[in-house]
Amino acid sequence: MQSLKQFDFYKRIPADFRVQTSGGGTISMLAALFMTLLFTLELWSFIAGHESTTIVVDQDSATSIWVNFNVTVPSCHCDHISVDVEDMLGTNVMDIQKNVEKVPLDENGEQMPDLDHSHHHAAPKDHVSEAENLVANEATTKDTYEPTVLAADTFTKYVDSHEWVFVYFGASWCHWCQKLDPIWKSAGEVLKNRGAAITLPKVECTKDTSLCQEHQV
């Protein structure tokens, strides 16, 4: 047995070497309090939980959202009212007819008993329909009109010297601006041929970035 004790790795410390001191007791109490505090905080964090807010880009642009609306437009015929929808991606849907009901009302705001068009007034004799106006505009458009390109040093002077100015802030790389360019030129040609006091200049934002930022573009 005496030879077996020589292989004992966990030798007992004699009682004479185990001395309890006030310093050691203080450190032990502080350590116990610190461990208790950590345990309590971890337990509270696990039970309470937190609220987290994140922003995620919606990749599915084809999803439709049902929107209920009830709008009363006095002194306006139903044929003159349309519903257009445009989303943040720039997709524009004109004159939505599906699931949109137009109800004619009388002067008291009550629904009229019949839904025929007998209460609609005929258009004046010299009235030009939208389709006829579009054909006339295309006939007078020769795609020769080039909008005046404004810069930071000419913008204010040009705007102040004209009565009506519609400024087109665009960028040559923008897909939607490329679609608008021919329409803008056609509109400018039509206004020019009609002698209208309206000008349609353009600002290239890739060259005059500060001017576009000044106008929040």
Side-chain angles (χ1 to χ4, degrees), residues 47-161:
I47 296 176
H50 350 254
E51 181 179 350
S52 178
T53 303
T54 57
I55 300 178
V56 180
V57 178
D58 186 7
Q59 302 293 338
D60 187 7
S61 60
T63 303
S64 300
I65 301 177
W66 185 274
V67 178
N68 296 322
F69 61 92
N70 184 3
V71 181
T72 302
V73 183
S75 304
C76 185
H77 298 300
C78 294
D79 294 340
H80 300 163
I81 301 175
S82 63
V83 180
D84 304 336
V85 177
E86 182 176 0
D87 59 15
M88 295 298 296
L89 299 177
T91 304
N92 193 0
V93 182
M94 308 291 292
D95 194 16
I96 296 179
Q97 300 289 340
K98 185 179 180 181
N99 299 325
V100 177
E101 181 181 3
K102 302 177 184 178
V103 180
L105 305 176
D106 58 16
E107 62 273 8
N108 298 321
E110 301 293 336
Q111 180 176 346
M112 301 184 67
D114 57 334
L115 297 179
D116 58 10
H117 297 277
S118 60
H119 58 282
H120 289 176
H121 298 285
K125 294 182 179 180
D126 56 348
H127 175 72
V128 180
S129 65
E130 184 177 354
E132 295 173 343
N133 192 26
L134 181 59
V135 173
N137 290 342
E138 292 179 351
T140 57
T141 300
K142 301 178 182 179
D143 293 333
T144 58
Y145 177 83
E146 289 294 334
T148 303
V149 180
L150 303 179
D153 54 344
T154 60
F155 182 85
T156 303
K157 182 178 179 181
Y158 183 91
V159 172
D160 293 341
S161 61

Side-chain angles (χ1 to χ4, degrees), residues 161-172:
S161 61
H162 293 78
E163 183 178 2
W164 295 96
V165 180
F166 291 89
V167 183
Y168 164 31
F169 293 89
S172 56

Side-chain angles (χ1 to χ4, degrees), residues 155-156 159 167 169 203 209-217:
F155 182 85
T156 303
V159 172
V167 183
F169 293 89
V203 174
T209 307
S210 59
L211 180 60
C212 295
Q213 291 178 347
E214 180 181 350
H215 291 82
Q216 300 180 355
V217 178

